Amino acid sequence: MRLRAIWAGLLGLFLFAVGAVPEANAQGVPPGSYLRSCRDVRVVAGGRDLSAVCETRQPGRFEFTRLPDFRSCWGDIANINGNLRCDRRPGPPPGPAVRVPPGSYLRSCRNAVVGPAGTLWAECRMMNGAWVRANVNLNQCRGSRDIANINGRLVCNW
């Protein structure tokens, strides 16, 4: 009898988890690991912020949280002890704008910027489809024939 109750509980949890992700995606919320432990996920403030109720380290305890300007996040949006967190994109370098160099990386990378000290930063797609932050020091690429994205890494091709 007890084993049956445990299996019923696990089945209910699984069905909840499977049902929650498509519902969140239907609302236009961004993907991320937070979807496994957050509920009532919404895009608010005219599409700028992300709000949710997320589970804390204490099982069964949930906190309301808000992530401002979620579109400037790089990679995963995570639930850290009931708070939505992400890494932010580097801002444009100070001073005059620096053009990004040409290269095959532009076919599979986005949001490329040249930062201080000549570092090229971009969000690049890996072979599994995930987007990751990548960078390469352009001083090391002088004389190379191409800058390429190799499974989420920016490399100088000679």
Side-chain angles (χ1 to χ4, degrees):
M1 183 71 166
R2 183 178 169 142
L3 184 60
R4 184 179 282 172
I6 291 171
W7 279 110
L10 289 173
L11 179 62
L13 183 61
F14 173 76
L15 292 174
F16 171 77
V18 169
V21 172
E23 179 182 332
N25 289 338
Q27 297 172 5
V29 300
S33 63
Y34 74 98
L35 291 172
R36 293 189 299 252
S37 58
C38 296
R39 61 184 186 215
D40 300 327
V41 179
R42 291 184 175 84
V43 175
V44 296
R48 290 187 314 271
D49 298 353
L50 186 65
S51 72
V53 177
C54 297
E55 191 168 21
T56 66
R57 286 189 194 111
Q58 183 180 350
R61 182 170 176 220
F62 288 79
E63 297 282 334
F64 174 81
T65 182
R66 189 171 183 149
L67 180 64
D69 191 25
F70 74 89
R71 295 184 194 283
S72 70
C73 292
W74 280 76
D76 188 42
I77 298 175
N79 171 15
I80 308 297
N81 194 25
N83 293 293
L84 292 174
R85 297 284 186 252
C86 71
D87 289 330
R88 300 290 180 171
R89 292 183 185 138
V98 178
R99 295 180 69 94
V100 297
S104 63
Y105 75 97
L106 291 170
R107 292 192 298 264
S108 58
C109 296
R110 63 187 182 196
N111 302 317
V113 294
V114 176
T119 301
L120 172 66
W121 291 87
E123 209 173 13
C124 297
R125 189 179 294 268
M126 296 177 61
M127 292 175 72
N128 67 5
W131 291 91
V132 294
R133 282 191 302 176
N135 68 70
V136 66
N137 185 327
L138 293 176
N139 294 323
Q140 297 172 349
C141 290
R142 288 199 176 141
S144 68
R145 61 180 169 81
D146 185 34
I147 300 171
N149 170 21
I150 307 296
N151 196 28
R153 284 185 42 236
L154 288 173
V155 297
C156 310
N157 275 339
W158 303 95

